[in-house]
Amino acid sequence: MLLAGEDWRKAFDAMQTEAWRLETLPVYRVPQEEEAVRRFLAGEPVTREATQPWFDRVKAYRDSGRAVGRVHIIARPLSDYLRFEFEYYRHNVEAGEDIRILDVTDRPNPLEQVQDFWMFDRSRIVFMNYESDGTQIDRQVYEGNPEPYLEYQRIALAESVPFKEYVKGIDA
């Protein structure tokens, strides 16, 4: 089953305890971000107002006792898109999202063959399907056993560092 539009929003709102994402790409090409990326590359800062819709959703989830988190697997040098996304992350962390970075620049990727996915309540998996250039194809509900994805989450969390800790090394 594919998830789009309102069904995608309902997947988030239906979570009871946690929404967690694994991100594996250096670039995501989504139409809603095109203008913001263009402005960032032209030198404009990513403001809190620009991130407000997601900021408000994350804050509401956190205020209701639910967790939102992600691990992004990256390699340096950061792509232009990742530099843009890191600016978004600064605001998302402020809202309460647990963002972590798994830097595989100087080591093997422990999740090399794993694709992007969201996991809701440690039981419902949604594959995020992308073209090789980062253009989103669709979101597909996985109907199988969630155990491998729980293990992927465990590995990603164990091998990553909190976003704020990671960027301290970059900003220094």
Side-chain angles (χ1 to χ4, degrees):
M1 177 171 91
L2 299 179
L3 285 180
E6 191 59 29
D7 290 335
W8 179 232
R9 174 72 182 240
K10 288 177 184 175
F12 272 92
D13 292 342
M15 75 158 151
Q16 299 296 304
T17 59
E18 178 188 46
W20 187 85
R21 174 147 189 205
L22 180 69
E23 293 180 306
T24 65
L25 302 177
V27 175
Y28 292 94
R29 298 185 194 289
V30 290
Q32 329 58 306
E33 290 182 339
E34 284 177 7
E35 181 61 22
V37 171
R38 187 196 62 71
R39 286 194 315 266
F40 172 77
L41 294 176
E44 293 182 32
V46 176
T47 64
R48 162 91 174 276
E49 292 72 31
T51 68
Q52 202 68 49
W54 181 245
F55 182 98
D56 290 344
R57 285 181 70 192
V58 169
K59 187 157 179 10
Y61 294 140
R62 295 295 299 186
D63 290 349
S64 69
R66 297 177 284 177
V68 179
R70 73 181 71 212
V71 171
H72 198 145
I73 300 172
I74 65 108
R76 293 181 317 271
L78 297 180
S79 66
D80 287 343
Y81 180 84
L82 282 176
R83 290 187 310 103
F84 162 78
E85 191 166 58
F86 273 30
E87 292 304 311
Y88 255 78
Y89 284 171
R90 292 176 196 276
H91 299 293
N92 296 354
V93 167
E94 191 182 317
E97 185 173 354
D98 178 23
I99 300 175
R100 300 176 65 85
I101 303 298
L102 197 170
D103 189 332
V104 296
T105 302
D106 298 319
R107 66 183 192 136
N109 181 347
L111 298 169
E112 181 71 41
Q113 300 302 317
V114 181
Q115 77 173 86
D116 283 45
F117 67 91
W118 275 98
M119 180 166 46
F120 298 96
D121 299 324
R122 302 178 54 78
S123 61
R124 291 173 297 139
I125 312 302
V126 177
F127 293 137
M128 306 296 288
N129 297 313
Y130 296 93
E131 298 285 351
S132 60
D133 71 350
T135 301
Q136 188 172 44
I137 301 168
D138 59 28
R139 301 176 197 99
Q140 182 180 13
V141 175
Y142 171 69
E143 302 289 346
N145 182 352
E147 287 301 318
Y149 297 90
L150 291 167
E151 180 63 7
Y152 300 150
Q153 181 189 39
R154 185 198 67 73
I155 292 167
L157 292 171
E159 299 285 331
S160 62
V161 298
F163 174 74
K164 282 186 172 183
E165 181 180 320
Y166 184 81
V167 296
K168 254 190 256 180
I170 293 174
D171 294 341

